[in-house]
Amino acid sequence: MTRYYARIAGTGGYLPEEIRTNDDISRMVETSDSWIVERTGIKSRRIAAPHETASSMAEIAARQALAAAACEPEALDLIIVATGTSERVYPSTGCLLQQRLGIKNCVAFDIQAACSGSIFCA
């Protein structure tokens, strides 16, 4: 019996440059830093620039992960993107990432699970 194994060989990440704090939000709507932190634990969040998309940010992170793993994109067999902010319904962000990486023979799809997507993919 042949056994196949999966492993995490490299990781990457990307955060947009703009940081929006709770104080910034409280100037736009009636709220406060303490109200938001007490209910969500969130103190700030990153805001994508107009030219940034889910797939463009995923590409940066994926290329970092590939470099960390000393791996070429063509070696990938599967791309799973966990997002709640797809740039479109079809094709999926995973497929758009596959195209950006120049991979032809790879399965790619999204899990529309937002923050909990990292749990579903683990």
Side-chain angles (χ1 to χ4, degrees), residues 1-105:
M1 178 170 141
T2 303
R3 293 186 179 193
Y4 298 95
Y5 299 94
R7 67 186 174 98
I8 297 173
T11 61
Y14 177 79
L15 293 173
E17 287 187 30
E18 183 182 342
I19 298 172
R20 186 162 302 156
T21 67
N22 294 340
D23 289 330
D24 295 332
I25 291 174
S26 70
R27 287 191 283 279
M28 293 184 267
V29 296
E30 189 176 329
T31 190
S32 68
D33 174 67
S34 61
W35 191 93
I36 295 170
V37 172
E38 286 172 14
R39 287 159 181 78
T40 68
I42 297 171
K43 295 180 185 240
S44 66
R45 68 255 334 118
R46 298 292 181 128
I47 307 299
H51 68 278
E52 293 175 316
T53 63
S55 64
S56 72
M57 293 183 285
E59 179 185 8
I60 295 167
R63 291 196 184 280
Q64 289 176 6
L66 289 164
C71 181
E72 293 298 320
E74 298 79 22
L76 297 180
D77 297 318
L78 175 65
I79 296 172
I80 304 171
V81 175
T83 182
T85 56
S86 299
E87 50 213 83
R88 57 180 65 150
V89 175
Y90 181 83
S92 70
T93 303
C95 291
L96 295 172
L97 175 59
Q98 177 187 14
Q99 180 184 39
R100 285 175 165 275
L101 294 173
I103 305 170
K104 301 252 187 246
N105 296 312

Side-chain angles (χ1 to χ4, degrees), residues 100-118:
R100 285 175 165 275
L101 294 173
I103 305 170
K104 301 252 187 246
N105 296 312
C106 175
V107 175
F109 61 90
D110 289 2
I111 294 177
Q112 298 289 325
C115 297
S116 59
S118 60

